[in-house]
Amino acid sequence: WKPRPKSTIAAVEEPKQEEAKAESVEEVKEPPKQIIIRAHRLNPVYQGIKFLDYTEKEDRSELKELTGVDPVRIEWCAAFANAILEKSELPSNKDHKYPLVARSFLDWGEKVDTPEMGDIVVFPRGNQGWQGHVGFYVKEQTIDGVLYYYILGGNQKNSVRVDLYRADRALG
């Protein structure tokens, strides 16, 4: 699940310099027109990796400030995902009816067939149908014929980590 921000393409022209009134007959060449392409550079993985190895006990106050929840008392993977999306200048899922539930991200963004770095991936977790885990896709790897995703997320073994998850377990 991923928001698909549109790249902004803008043409910028250099200001024309006044031609010098010289007696010599020289042609003044105009500088070439510059085209600037701006793509979204704040990939969530790049924003989230800044918090790599933060643990909910040792870095409790920093994570609480980032996510808005106490990581020792609340399951915080969805709160971490929302915070990183906002740091990436992307719309978060905070306005959802259940913003702290990982599976609420199944209602967010646009479903894609092949994930790219920074995409949201939701996995089942626990025994209840509403439980889950959410994180950011980093890359994939096949191990013994099984496809795995590297996922950057919060509350992965009580810290911010990159862990392997079976791709066939992804809900979206």
Side-chain angles (χ1 to χ4, degrees):
W1 299 85
K2 176 178 183 166
R4 297 290 180 173
K6 296 178 182 171
S7 296
T8 306
I9 299 175
V12 178
E13 288 187 39
E14 299 248 340
K16 294 181 182 180
Q17 296 179 357
E18 289 187 47
E19 294 181 26
K21 294 181 181 178
E23 292 181 9
S24 63
V25 182
E26 284 186 33
E27 284 189 32
V28 177
K29 294 183 181 179
E30 290 186 36
K33 185 185 235 185
Q34 291 183 353
I35 297 176
I36 299 171
I37 299 175
R38 289 193 173 94
H40 200 274
R41 292 188 199 178
L42 299 177
N43 188 302
V45 171
Y46 299 138
Q47 300 304 309
I49 207 81
K50 296 174 185 176
F51 301 95
L52 194 64
D53 295 329
Y54 277 42
T55 66
E56 62 184 37
K57 291 191 177 174
E58 292 176 9
D59 304 291
R60 184 178 185 178
S61 62
E62 292 89 346
L63 288 171
K64 187 174 183 180
E65 184 179 335
L66 173 70
T67 62
V69 299
D70 184 346
V72 172
R73 301 186 184 279
I74 304 284
E75 299 296 328
W76 52 280
C77 66
F80 179 79
N82 280 319
I84 296 304
L85 286 169
E86 288 180 354
K87 283 195 165 294
S88 303
E89 300 176 4
L90 294 169
S92 73
N93 200 27
K94 283 188 173 180
D95 293 333
H96 191 277
K97 184 176 180 182
Y98 303 107
L100 298 179
V101 175
R103 289 189 187 213
S104 69
F105 279 90
L106 293 172
D107 299 332
W108 176 89
E110 177 183 322
K111 188 172 183 171
V112 296
D113 294 324
T114 306
E116 297 175 3
M117 188 172 73
D119 285 357
I120 288 281
V121 185
V122 180
F123 295 93
R125 181 186 244 176
N127 298 325
Q128 303 295 319
W130 60 269
Q131 292 176 313
H133 180 68
V134 63
F136 298 98
Y137 174 90
V138 178
K139 67 177 189 172
E140 60 190 44
Q141 181 176 358
T142 302
I143 302 172
D144 295 329
V146 178
L147 182 64
Y148 289 87
Y149 291 159
Y150 283 88
I151 301 295
L152 167 69
N155 204 22
Q156 293 180 182
K157 297 182 181 167
N158 300 325
S159 63
V160 177
R161 299 170 39 111
V162 176
D163 287 317
L164 286 172
Y165 289 82
R166 285 181 63 126
D168 61 0
R169 302 254 313 140
L171 299 172

